[in-house]
Coordinates of all heavy atoms in Angstrom, one line a residue:
M1 N -33.0 0.0 49.8 CA -31.7 -0.7 49.6 C -30.7 0.1 48.8 O -31.1 0.5 47.7 CB -32.0 -2.1 48.9 CG -31.0 -3.1 49.2 SD -31.3 -4.7 48.4 CE -33.0 -5.1 48.7
T2 N -29.6 0.3 49.3 CA -28.6 1.2 48.5 C -27.3 0.5 48.6 O -27.0 -0.5 49.4 CB -28.6 2.5 49.2 OG1 -28.1 2.4 50.5 CG2 -29.8 3.3 49.1
G3 N -26.3 1.0 47.8 CA -24.9 0.5 47.9 C -24.7 -0.7 47.0 O -25.6 -1.1 46.3
R4 N -23.5 -1.2 47.2 CA -23.1 -2.4 46.4 C -23.5 -3.7 47.2 O -23.2 -3.7 48.4 CB -21.6 -2.3 46.1 CG -21.1 -3.4 45.2 CD -19.7 -3.1 44.8 NE -18.9 -3.8 45.8 CZ -17.6 -4.2 45.5 NH1 -17.0 -3.8 44.4 NH2 -16.9 -4.9 46.4
M5 N -23.9 -4.6 46.5 CA -24.2 -6.0 47.1 C -23.5 -7.0 46.3 O -23.0 -6.7 45.2 CB -25.7 -6.2 47.1 CG -26.5 -5.2 48.0 SD -28.2 -5.7 48.2 CE -28.1 -7.2 49.1
D6 N -23.5 -8.2 46.8 CA -22.8 -9.3 46.0 C -23.7 -10.5 46.1 O -24.5 -10.7 47.1 CB -21.4 -9.6 46.6 CG -21.4 -10.0 48.0 OD1 -21.5 -11.3 48.2 OD2 -21.3 -9.2 48.9
R7 N -23.6 -11.3 45.1 CA -24.3 -12.5 44.9 C -23.4 -13.6 44.5 O -22.7 -13.4 43.5 CB -25.5 -12.3 43.9 CG -26.2 -13.6 43.5 CD -27.1 -14.1 44.6 NE -28.2 -15.0 44.2 CZ -28.0 -16.2 43.9 NH1 -26.9 -16.8 43.9 NH2 -29.0 -17.0 43.4
E8 N -23.4 -14.8 45.2 CA -22.5 -15.8 44.8 C -23.2 -16.9 44.0 O -24.4 -17.2 44.3 CB -21.9 -16.4 46.1 CG -20.6 -17.1 45.9 CD -19.9 -17.5 47.2 OE1 -19.1 -16.6 47.6 OE2 -20.1 -18.6 47.6
F9 N -22.6 -17.4 43.0 CA -23.1 -18.5 42.2 C -22.1 -19.7 42.1 O -20.9 -19.5 42.2 CB -23.3 -18.0 40.7 CG -24.3 -16.9 40.6 CD1 -23.9 -15.5 40.7 CD2 -25.6 -17.1 40.4 CE1 -24.8 -14.5 40.6 CE2 -26.5 -16.1 40.2 CZ -26.2 -14.8 40.4
D10 N -22.7 -20.9 41.9 CA -21.9 -22.1 41.8 C -21.6 -22.3 40.3 O -22.5 -22.6 39.5 CB -22.7 -23.2 42.4 CG -21.9 -24.6 42.3 OD1 -20.8 -24.6 42.8 OD2 -22.5 -25.5 41.6
L11 N -20.4 -22.2 39.9 CA -20.0 -22.3 38.5 C -20.4 -23.6 37.9 O -21.0 -23.7 36.7 CB -18.5 -21.9 38.2 CG -18.2 -20.5 38.4 CD1 -16.6 -20.3 38.5 CD2 -18.7 -19.7 37.2
P12 N -20.1 -24.7 38.5 CA -20.4 -26.1 37.8 C -21.9 -26.2 37.6 O -22.3 -26.8 36.6 CB -19.9 -27.1 38.8 CG -18.7 -26.4 39.5 CD -19.2 -25.0 39.6
S13 N -22.7 -25.5 38.4 CA -24.2 -25.6 38.2 C -24.6 -24.7 37.0 O -25.6 -25.0 36.3 CB -24.9 -25.1 39.4 OG -24.7 -26.0 40.5
L14 N -23.9 -23.6 36.8 CA -24.2 -22.6 35.7 C -23.7 -23.1 34.4 O -24.3 -22.7 33.4 CB -23.6 -21.3 36.1 CG -24.2 -20.5 37.2 CD1 -23.3 -19.3 37.5 CD2 -25.6 -20.1 37.0
L15 N -22.8 -24.0 34.4 CA -22.3 -24.5 33.1 C -22.6 -26.0 32.9 O -21.8 -26.9 33.2 CB -20.7 -24.3 33.1 CG -20.3 -22.9 33.4 CD1 -18.8 -22.8 33.6 CD2 -20.6 -22.0 32.2
P16 N -23.9 -26.2 32.5 CA -24.4 -27.6 32.4 C -23.8 -28.4 31.3 O -24.4 -28.6 30.2 CB -25.8 -27.3 32.2 CG -25.9 -26.0 31.4 CD -24.8 -25.2 32.0
A17 N -22.5 -28.7 31.4 CA -21.8 -29.5 30.4 C -21.4 -30.8 31.1 O -21.3 -30.9 32.4 CB -20.6 -28.8 29.9
T18 N -21.1 -31.8 30.3 CA -20.7 -33.1 30.9 C -19.4 -32.9 31.7 O -19.2 -33.5 32.8 CB -20.4 -34.1 29.8 OG1 -21.6 -34.2 29.0 CG2 -20.1 -35.5 30.4
Y19 N -18.5 -32.0 31.2 CA -17.3 -31.7 31.9 C -17.2 -30.3 32.3 O -17.5 -29.4 31.5 CB -16.1 -32.1 31.0 CG -16.2 -33.5 30.6 CD1 -16.7 -33.9 29.4 CD2 -15.7 -34.6 31.4 CE1 -16.8 -35.3 29.0 CE2 -15.8 -35.9 31.0 CZ -16.3 -36.2 29.8 OH -16.5 -37.5 29.5
Y20 N -16.8 -30.0 33.5 CA -16.6 -28.6 33.9 C -15.5 -28.0 33.3 O -14.4 -28.6 33.3 CB -16.5 -28.6 35.4 CG -16.2 -27.2 36.0 CD1 -17.2 -26.2 35.9 CD2 -15.0 -26.9 36.5 CE1 -16.9 -25.0 36.5 CE2 -14.7 -25.7 37.1 CZ -15.7 -24.7 37.0 OH -15.5 -23.4 37.6
C21 N -15.7 -27.0 32.5 CA -14.6 -26.3 31.7 C -14.2 -25.1 32.3 O -15.0 -24.1 32.4 CB -15.2 -26.2 30.3 SG -14.1 -25.2 29.2
T22 N -12.9 -24.9 32.7 CA -12.5 -23.7 33.3 C -12.4 -22.6 32.4 O -12.6 -21.4 32.7 CB -11.1 -23.9 34.0 OG1 -10.1 -24.3 33.1 CG2 -11.2 -24.9 35.2
D23 N -12.2 -22.8 31.1 CA -12.2 -21.8 30.1 C -13.7 -21.2 29.9 O -13.8 -20.0 29.9 CB -11.7 -22.3 28.7 CG -10.3 -22.5 28.7 OD1 -9.5 -21.9 29.4 OD2 -9.8 -23.4 27.8
C24 N -14.7 -22.1 30.0 CA -16.0 -21.5 30.0 C -16.3 -20.8 31.2 O -17.0 -19.7 31.2 CB -17.0 -22.7 29.8 SG -17.1 -23.4 28.1
A25 N -15.8 -21.2 32.4 CA -16.0 -20.5 33.6 C -15.5 -19.1 33.5 O -16.1 -18.1 33.9 CB -15.3 -21.2 34.7
E26 N -14.3 -19.0 32.9 CA -13.6 -17.6 32.7 C -14.5 -16.8 31.7 O -14.7 -15.6 32.0 CB -12.2 -17.8 32.2 CG -11.4 -16.5 32.2 CD -11.4 -15.8 33.6 OE1 -11.2 -16.4 34.5 OE2 -11.6 -14.5 33.6
R27 N -15.0 -17.4 30.7 CA -15.8 -16.7 29.7 C -17.1 -16.2 30.4 O -17.6 -15.1 30.2 CB -16.2 -17.4 28.5 CG -15.0 -17.6 27.6 CD -15.4 -18.3 26.2 NE -15.6 -19.7 26.3 CZ -14.5 -20.6 26.3 NH1 -13.3 -20.2 26.0 NH2 -14.8 -21.9 26.4
L28 N -17.7 -17.0 31.3 CA -18.9 -16.6 32.0 C -18.6 -15.4 32.9 O -19.4 -14.5 33.0 CB -19.5 -17.8 32.8 CG -20.7 -17.5 33.6 CD1 -21.8 -16.8 32.8 CD2 -21.2 -18.7 34.4
C29 N -17.5 -15.6 33.7 CA -17.2 -14.4 34.6 C -17.0 -13.2 33.9 O -17.4 -12.1 34.3 CB -15.9 -14.8 35.4 SG -16.1 -16.2 36.4
E30 N -16.3 -13.2 32.7 CA -16.1 -12.0 31.8 C -17.5 -11.5 31.3 O -17.8 -10.3 31.4 CB -15.2 -12.3 30.7 CG -14.9 -11.1 29.8 CD -14.1 -10.1 30.5 OE1 -13.3 -10.3 31.4 OE2 -14.4 -8.9 30.2
A31 N -18.3 -12.3 30.9 CA -19.6 -11.9 30.4 C -20.5 -11.3 31.4 O -21.2 -10.4 31.1 CB -20.3 -13.1 29.7
A32 N -20.4 -11.8 32.6 CA -21.2 -11.3 33.7 C -20.9 -9.9 34.1 O -21.8 -9.1 34.5 CB -21.1 -12.2 35.0
R33 N -19.6 -9.5 33.8 CA -19.2 -8.1 34.0 C -20.0 -7.1 33.1 O -20.1 -5.9 33.4 CB -17.7 -8.0 33.8 CG -16.9 -8.6 34.8 CD -15.4 -8.3 34.6 NE -14.6 -9.3 35.4 CZ -13.9 -10.2 35.0 NH1 -13.8 -10.5 33.7 NH2 -13.3 -11.0 35.9
G34 N -20.5 -7.6 32.0 CA -21.3 -6.8 31.1 C -22.7 -6.6 31.4 O -23.4 -5.8 30.6
I35 N -23.3 -7.2 32.4 CA -24.6 -7.0 32.7 C -24.8 -5.6 33.3 O -24.1 -5.2 34.2 CB -25.1 -8.1 33.8 CG1 -25.0 -9.5 33.2 CG2 -26.5 -7.8 34.3 CD1 -25.2 -10.6 34.2
E36 N -25.9 -4.9 32.8 CA -26.1 -3.6 33.4 C -26.3 -3.6 34.9 O -27.2 -4.5 35.3 CB -27.3 -2.9 32.7 CG -27.5 -1.5 33.0 CD -28.5 -0.9 32.2 OE1 -28.8 -1.4 31.0 OE2 -29.1 0.2 32.6
G37 N -25.7 -2.8 35.6 CA -25.9 -2.8 37.1 C -24.8 -3.5 37.8 O -24.7 -3.5 39.0
V38 N -24.0 -4.3 37.1 CA -22.9 -5.1 37.7 C -21.7 -4.3 37.7 O -21.3 -3.7 36.6 CB -22.7 -6.4 36.9 CG1 -21.4 -7.2 37.4 CG2 -23.9 -7.3 37.1
S39 N -21.0 -4.1 38.8 CA -19.8 -3.3 38.9 C -18.6 -4.2 38.9 O -17.4 -3.6 38.7 CB -19.8 -2.5 40.2 OG -20.0 -3.3 41.4
G40 N -18.6 -5.5 39.0 CA -17.5 -6.4 39.0 C -17.8 -7.7 39.3 O -18.9 -8.1 39.8
T41 N -16.9 -8.6 39.1 CA -17.0 -10.1 39.4 C -15.7 -10.6 40.0 O -14.6 -10.0 39.8 CB -17.4 -10.9 38.2 OG1 -16.3 -10.9 37.2 CG2 -18.6 -10.5 37.5
N42 N -15.8 -11.6 40.8 CA -14.7 -12.4 41.2 C -14.9 -13.8 40.9 O -15.9 -14.4 41.3 CB -14.5 -12.2 42.8 CG -13.3 -12.9 43.3 OD1 -12.4 -13.2 42.6 ND2 -13.3 -13.2 44.5
C43 N -14.0 -14.4 40.1 CA -14.1 -15.7 39.6 C -13.1 -16.6 40.2 O -11.9 -16.4 40.0 CB -14.0 -15.7 38.1 SG -14.3 -17.2 37.3
S44 N -13.5 -17.6 41.0 CA -12.6 -18.6 41.6 C -12.8 -19.9 41.0 O -13.7 -20.6 41.4 CB -12.7 -18.6 43.2 OG -11.9 -19.6 43.7
K45 N -12.0 -20.1 40.0 CA -12.3 -21.5 39.3 C -11.9 -22.7 40.2 O -12.4 -23.7 40.0 CB -11.4 -21.4 38.0 CG -12.0 -20.5 37.0 CD -11.1 -20.4 35.8 CE -9.9 -19.5 36.2 NZ -9.1 -19.0 35.1
E46 N -10.9 -22.4 41.1 CA -10.5 -23.5 42.0 C -11.6 -23.9 42.9 O -11.9 -25.1 43.1 CB -9.3 -23.0 42.8 CG -8.1 -22.7 42.1 CD -8.1 -21.3 41.4 OE1 -8.8 -20.4 41.9 OE2 -7.4 -21.2 40.4
S47 N -12.4 -23.0 43.5 CA -13.4 -23.3 44.3 C -14.8 -23.4 43.6 O -15.8 -23.8 44.2 CB -13.6 -22.3 45.5 OG -14.0 -21.0 45.0
G48 N -14.8 -23.0 42.3 CA -16.0 -23.2 41.5 C -17.0 -22.1 41.9 O -18.2 -22.3 41.7
R49 N -16.6 -20.9 42.2 CA -17.6 -19.9 42.7 C -17.4 -18.6 41.9 O -16.3 -18.2 41.5 CB -17.3 -19.5 44.2 CG -17.4 -20.6 45.1 CD -18.6 -21.4 45.2 NE -19.7 -20.7 45.7 CZ -21.0 -21.1 45.5 NH1 -21.3 -22.2 44.9 NH2 -21.9 -20.3 46.0
L50 N -18.5 -18.0 41.5 CA -18.5 -16.7 40.8 C -19.3 -15.8 41.8 O -20.4 -16.0 42.2 CB -19.3 -16.9 39.5 CG -19.8 -15.5 38.9 CD1 -18.7 -14.6 38.5 CD2 -20.6 -15.8 37.7
T51 N -18.6 -14.7 42.2 CA -19.2 -13.6 42.9 C -19.4 -12.4 42.0 O -18.6 -12.0 41.4 CB -18.3 -13.3 44.1 OG1 -18.0 -14.4 44.9 CG2 -19.1 -12.2 45.0
V52 N -20.7 -12.0 42.0 CA -21.0 -10.8 41.2 C -21.4 -9.7 42.1 O -22.2 -9.8 43.1 CB -22.3 -11.1 40.3 CG1 -22.7 -9.9 39.4 CG2 -22.0 -12.3 39.4
F53 N -20.7 -8.5 41.9 CA -21.0 -7.3 42.7 C -21.9 -6.4 41.9 O -21.7 -6.2 40.7 CB -19.7 -6.6 43.0 CG -18.7 -7.5 43.8 CD1 -17.7 -8.1 43.0 CD2 -18.8 -7.6 45.1 CE1 -16.8 -8.9 43.7 CE2 -17.9 -8.5 45.7 CZ -16.9 -9.2 45.1
Y54 N -23.0 -6.0 42.5 CA -24.0 -5.2 41.7 C -24.7 -4.2 42.6 O -24.6 -4.2 43.8 CB -25.1 -6.2 41.2 CG -26.0 -6.9 42.2 CD1 -27.2 -6.3 42.5 CD2 -25.5 -7.9 43.0 CE1 -28.1 -6.9 43.5 CE2 -26.3 -8.5 44.0 CZ -27.6 -8.0 44.2 OH -28.4 -8.6 45.2
D55 N -25.3 -3.3 41.9 CA -26.0 -2.2 42.5 C -27.6 -2.6 42.5 O -28.1 -2.6 41.4 CB -25.8 -0.8 41.8 CG -26.4 0.4 42.5 OD1 -27.4 0.2 43.3 OD2 -25.9 1.4 42.3
P56 N -28.2 -2.8 43.6 CA -29.5 -3.2 43.7 C -30.5 -2.1 43.2 O -31.7 -2.4 42.9 CB -29.8 -3.6 45.2 CG -28.8 -2.9 45.9 CD -27.6 -2.8 45.0
R57 N -30.0 -0.9 43.1 CA -30.9 0.2 42.5 C -31.0 0.1 41.0 O -31.9 0.6 40.4 CB -30.3 1.6 42.9 CG -30.3 1.8 44.4 CD -29.6 3.1 44.8 NE -28.2 2.8 44.4 CZ -27.2 3.6 44.7 NH1 -27.4 4.8 45.2 NH2 -26.0 3.3 44.3
L58 N -30.0 -0.6 40.5 CA -30.0 -0.7 39.0 C -30.4 -2.1 38.4 O -30.9 -2.2 37.3 CB -28.5 -0.5 38.5 CG -27.9 0.9 38.8 CD1 -26.5 1.0 38.4 CD2 -28.8 2.0 38.2
I59 N -30.3 -3.2 39.3 CA -30.7 -4.5 38.9 C -31.2 -5.2 40.0 O -30.5 -5.2 41.1 CB -29.6 -5.2 38.1 CG1 -30.1 -6.5 37.5 CG2 -28.4 -5.4 39.0 CD1 -29.1 -7.2 36.5
D60 N -32.3 -5.8 39.9 CA -32.9 -6.7 41.0 C -32.2 -8.0 41.0 O -31.7 -8.5 40.0 CB -34.4 -6.9 40.6 CG -35.1 -7.8 41.6 OD1 -35.4 -7.3 42.7 OD2 -35.4 -8.9 41.3
E61 N -32.1 -8.6 42.2 CA -31.3 -9.9 42.3 C -31.9 -11.0 41.5 O -31.2 -11.9 40.9 CB -31.3 -10.2 43.8 CG -30.4 -11.5 44.0 CD -30.3 -11.9 45.5 OE1 -30.9 -11.2 46.4 OE2 -29.5 -12.8 45.8
T62 N -33.2 -11.0 41.4 CA -33.9 -12.0 40.5 C -33.5 -11.9 39.1 O -33.3 -12.9 38.4 CB -35.5 -11.9 40.7 OG1 -35.8 -12.0 42.1 CG2 -36.1 -13.0 39.9
V63 N -33.5 -10.6 38.6 CA -33.1 -10.4 37.2 C -31.6 -10.7 37.0 O -31.3 -11.3 36.0 CB -33.3 -8.9 36.8 CG1 -32.8 -8.5 35.5 CG2 -34.8 -8.6 36.9
L64 N -30.8 -10.4 38.0 CA -29.4 -10.7 37.9 C -29.2 -12.3 37.8 O -28.5 -12.7 37.0 CB -28.7 -10.2 39.2 CG -27.2 -10.6 39.3 CD1 -26.3 -10.0 38.2 CD2 -26.7 -10.3 40.7
E65 N -29.9 -13.0 38.6 CA -29.8 -14.5 38.6 C -30.2 -15.0 37.3 O -29.5 -15.8 36.6 CB -30.6 -15.1 39.7 CG -30.4 -16.6 39.7 CD -31.1 -17.2 41.0 OE1 -31.5 -16.5 41.9 OE2 -31.2 -18.5 40.9
R66 N -31.3 -14.5 36.8 CA -31.8 -15.0 35.4 C -30.8 -14.6 34.3 O -30.5 -15.5 33.5 CB -33.1 -14.3 35.1 CG -33.8 -14.8 33.9 CD -35.2 -14.3 33.6 NE -35.2 -12.8 33.6 CZ -36.0 -12.1 34.5 NH1 -36.8 -12.7 35.4 NH2 -36.0 -10.8 34.4
E67 N -30.1 -13.5 34.3 CA -29.2 -13.1 33.4 C -27.9 -14.0 33.4 O -27.3 -14.4 32.5 CB -28.8 -11.6 33.5 CG -29.8 -10.7 32.8 CD -30.0 -11.0 31.4 OE1 -29.1 -10.8 30.6 OE2 -31.1 -11.4 31.1
V68 N -27.4 -14.3 34.6 CA -26.2 -15.1 34.9 C -26.5 -16.5 34.4 O -25.7 -17.1 33.6 CB -25.7 -15.1 36.3 CG1 -24.6 -16.1 36.5 CG2 -25.2 -13.6 36.7
V69 N -27.6 -17.0 34.7 CA -28.0 -18.4 34.2 C -28.1 -18.4 32.7 O -27.6 -19.3 32.0 CB -29.4 -18.8 34.8 CG1 -29.9 -20.1 34.1 CG2 -29.2 -19.1 36.3
R70 N -28.7 -17.3 32.0 CA -28.8 -17.3 30.5 C -27.4 -17.2 30.0 O -27.1 -17.9 29.0 CB -29.5 -16.0 30.2 CG -29.8 -15.8 28.7 CD -30.4 -14.5 28.3 NE -29.5 -13.4 28.7 CZ -28.4 -13.0 28.0 NH1 -28.1 -13.6 27.0 NH2 -27.8 -11.9 28.4
L71 N -26.5 -16.4 30.5 CA -25.1 -16.3 30.0 C -24.4 -17.6 30.1 O -23.6 -18.0 29.3 CB -24.4 -15.2 30.8 CG -24.8 -13.8 30.4 CD1 -24.1 -12.8 31.4 CD2 -24.4 -13.5 29.0
G72 N -24.6 -18.4 31.2 CA -24.0 -19.7 31.4 C -24.4 -20.6 30.3 O -23.5 -21.3 29.7
L73 N -25.7 -20.6 29.9 CA -26.1 -21.5 28.8 C -25.6 -21.0 27.4 O -25.2 -21.8 26.6 CB -27.7 -21.5 28.7 CG -28.4 -22.1 30.0 CD1 -29.9 -21.9 29.9 CD2 -28.0 -23.6 30.0
E74 N -25.5 -19.7 27.3 CA -24.9 -19.2 26.1 C -23.4 -19.5 26.0 O -23.0 -19.9 24.9 CB -25.1 -17.6 26.2 CG -24.9 -16.9 24.9 CD -25.2 -15.4 25.1 OE1 -26.4 -15.1 25.1 OE2 -24.3 -14.6 25.1
V75 N -22.7 -19.4 27.0 CA -21.3 -19.6 27.0 C -21.0 -21.2 26.6 O -20.2 -21.4 25.7 CB -20.6 -19.3 28.4 CG1 -19.2 -19.9 28.5 CG2 -20.5 -17.8 28.5
V76 N -21.7 -22.0 27.3 CA -21.5 -23.4 27.0 C -21.9 -23.8 25.6 O -21.3 -24.7 25.0 CB -22.4 -24.3 28.1 CG1 -22.4 -25.8 27.6 CG2 -21.7 -24.1 29.4
G77 N -23.0 -23.2 25.1 CA -23.4 -23.5 23.7 C -22.6 -23.0 22.6 O -22.7 -23.3 21.5
A78 N -21.6 -22.1 23.0 CA -20.8 -21.4 22.0 C -19.6 -22.2 21.6 O -19.0 -21.9 20.5 CB -20.4 -20.0 22.6
V79 N -19.3 -23.2 22.4 CA -18.1 -24.0 22.0 C -18.3 -25.4 22.0 O -19.2 -25.9 22.8 CB -16.9 -23.7 23.0 CG1 -16.4 -22.2 22.8 CG2 -17.3 -24.0 24.3
E80 N -17.6 -26.2 21.3 CA -17.6 -27.7 21.3 C -16.7 -28.2 22.5 O -15.6 -27.7 22.6 CB -17.2 -28.2 20.0 CG -18.2 -28.0 18.9 CD -19.5 -28.8 19.0 OE1 -19.5 -29.9 19.5 OE2 -20.6 -28.2 18.7
H81 N -17.2 -29.1 23.2 CA -16.4 -29.7 24.3 C -16.0 -31.2 23.8 O -16.8 -31.9 23.3 CB -17.1 -29.8 25.6 CG -17.3 -28.4 26.3 ND1 -18.3 -27.6 25.9 CD2 -16.5 -27.7 27.1 CE1 -18.3 -26.4 26.6 NE2 -17.2 -26.5 27.3
A82 N -14.8 -31.5 24.1 CA -14.3 -32.8 23.8 C -13.6 -33.5 25.0 O -13.0 -32.8 25.7 CB -13.4 -32.8 22.6
A83 N -13.7 -34.8 25.1 CA -13.0 -35.5 26.1 C -12.2 -36.5 25.4 O -12.5 -37.2 24.4 CB -14.1 -36.2 27.0
Y84 N -11.0 -36.7 25.9 CA -10.0 -37.6 25.3 C -9.6 -38.6 26.4 O -9.4 -38.3 27.5 CB -8.8 -36.8 24.8 CG -9.1 -35.8 23.8 CD1 -9.3 -34.5 24.2 CD2 -9.2 -36.2 22.5 CE1 -9.6 -33.6 23.2 CE2 -9.5 -35.3 21.5 CZ -9.7 -33.9 21.9 OH -10.0 -33.0 20.9
R85 N -9.5 -39.9 26.0 CA -9.0 -40.9 26.8 C -7.5 -41.0 26.8 O -6.9 -41.2 25.7 CB -9.7 -42.3 26.4 CG -9.3 -43.4 27.4 CD -10.0 -44.6 27.1 NE -9.6 -45.6 28.0 CZ -9.8 -46.9 27.8 NH1 -10.4 -47.3 26.7 NH2 -9.4 -47.7 28.7
L86 N -6.8 -40.9 27.9 CA -5.4 -41.0 28.0 C -5.0 -42.3 28.5 O -5.5 -42.8 29.4 CB -4.8 -39.9 28.9 CG -5.1 -38.5 28.5 CD1 -4.6 -37.5 29.6 CD2 -4.5 -38.1 27.2
T87 N -4.1 -43.0 27.8 CA -3.6 -44.3 28.1 C -2.1 -44.3 28.1 O -1.5 -43.5 27.4 CB -4.1 -45.4 27.2 OG1 -3.8 -45.2 25.9 CG2 -5.7 -45.4 27.3
G88 N -1.5 -45.3 28.7 CA -0.1 -45.5 28.6 C 0.8 -44.5 29.4 O 1.9 -44.2 29.1
L89 N 0.2 -43.9 30.4 CA 0.8 -42.9 31.2 C 1.6 -43.6 32.5 O 2.3 -42.8 33.1 CB 0.0 -41.8 31.7 CG -0.7 -41.0 30.6 CD1 -1.8 -40.0 31.1 CD2 0.4 -40.2 29.8
D90 N 1.4 -44.8 32.7 CA 2.0 -45.3 33.9 C 3.2 -46.2 33.6 O 3.7 -46.4 32.6 CB 1.0 -46.2 34.7 CG -0.1 -46.9 33.9 OD1 -0.5 -46.2 33.0 OD2 -0.4 -48.0 34.3

Protein backbone atom coordinates (compact mmCIF):
# COMPACT_ATOMS: atom_id res chain seq x y z
CA MET A 1 0.00 0.00 0.00
CA THR A 2 1.51 3.34 -1.02
CA GLY A 3 0.54 6.93 -1.56
CA ARG A 4 -1.90 9.12 0.25
CA MET A 5 -5.16 7.76 1.61
CA ASP A 6 -8.04 9.41 3.38
CA ARG A 7 -10.28 8.41 6.26
CA GLU A 8 -13.55 10.13 7.08
CA PHE A 9 -14.83 10.62 10.64
CA ASP A 10 -18.16 11.79 12.06
CA LEU A 11 -17.43 14.88 14.18
CA PRO A 12 -20.49 14.67 16.48
CA SER A 13 -19.52 11.08 17.35
CA LEU A 14 -15.95 12.12 18.12
CA LEU A 15 -16.98 14.98 20.36
CA PRO A 16 -19.05 13.28 23.07
CA ALA A 17 -20.60 16.34 24.60
CA THR A 18 -24.21 17.15 25.30
CA TYR A 19 -24.02 19.87 22.67
CA TYR A 20 -22.10 19.64 19.41
CA CYS A 21 -19.60 22.49 19.58
CA THR A 22 -18.22 23.82 16.29
CA ASP A 23 -15.27 25.40 18.11
CA CYS A 24 -14.31 21.97 19.46
CA ALA A 25 -14.73 20.54 15.96
CA GLU A 26 -12.25 23.10 14.64
CA ARG A 27 -9.82 22.36 17.48
CA LEU A 28 -10.06 18.63 16.72
CA CYS A 29 -9.44 19.20 13.02
CA GLU A 30 -6.38 21.30 13.85
CA ALA A 31 -5.07 18.75 16.37
CA ALA A 32 -5.47 15.88 13.88
CA ARG A 33 -3.04 17.67 11.54
CA GLY A 34 -0.34 17.06 14.16
CA ILE A 35 -0.59 13.27 14.10
CA GLU A 36 2.57 11.75 12.64
CA GLY A 37 1.82 10.45 9.14
CA VAL A 38 -1.08 12.87 8.57
CA SER A 39 -0.54 15.20 5.63
CA GLY A 40 -3.69 17.26 6.08
CA THR A 41 -7.32 17.44 7.10
CA ASN A 42 -10.57 18.78 5.71
CA CYS A 43 -13.07 19.87 8.30
CA SER A 44 -16.69 20.39 7.27
CA LYS A 45 -18.52 21.62 10.35
CA GLU A 46 -21.71 22.04 8.30
CA SER A 47 -21.87 18.36 7.40
CA GLY A 48 -20.14 17.23 10.60
CA ARG A 49 -17.35 15.42 8.76
CA LEU A 50 -13.60 15.32 9.33
CA THR A 51 -11.50 13.90 6.51
CA VAL A 52 -7.93 12.99 7.41
CA PHE A 53 -5.34 12.51 4.65
CA TYR A 54 -2.54 10.18 5.69
CA ASP A 55 0.33 8.05 4.43
CA PRO A 56 -0.37 4.38 5.22
CA ARG A 57 3.39 3.70 5.17
CA LEU A 58 3.75 6.00 8.19
CA ILE A 59 0.57 5.28 10.16
CA ASP A 60 -1.82 2.35 10.20
CA GLU A 61 -5.53 3.18 9.80
CA THR A 62 -6.31 1.53 13.16
CA VAL A 63 -3.70 3.68 14.91
CA LEU A 64 -5.00 6.76 13.10
CA GLU A 65 -8.55 6.06 14.27
CA ARG A 66 -7.41 5.52 17.85
CA GLU A 67 -5.45 8.81 17.81
CA VAL A 68 -8.35 10.82 16.37
CA VAL A 69 -10.73 9.40 18.99
CA ARG A 70 -8.21 10.19 21.75
CA LEU A 71 -7.84 13.75 20.47
CA GLY A 72 -11.63 14.16 20.40
CA LEU A 73 -11.86 13.24 24.08
CA GLU A 74 -8.93 15.49 24.88
CA VAL A 75 -10.45 18.48 23.04
CA VAL A 76 -13.86 18.12 24.71
CA GLY A 77 -12.29 17.72 28.15
CA ALA A 78 -10.17 20.85 27.74
CA VAL A 79 -13.06 23.37 27.85
CA GLU A 80 -16.24 23.93 29.80
CA HIS A 81 -19.45 23.87 27.77
CA ALA A 82 -22.47 25.86 28.82
CA ALA A 83 -26.04 26.03 27.56
CA TYR A 84 -28.20 29.09 27.98
CA ARG A 85 -31.96 29.29 27.79
CA LEU A 86 -33.13 32.13 25.55
CA THR A 87 -36.54 33.62 26.18
CA GLY A 88 -38.47 36.64 24.99
CA LEU A 89 -37.32 36.47 21.39
CA ASP A 90 -40.80 36.34 19.84
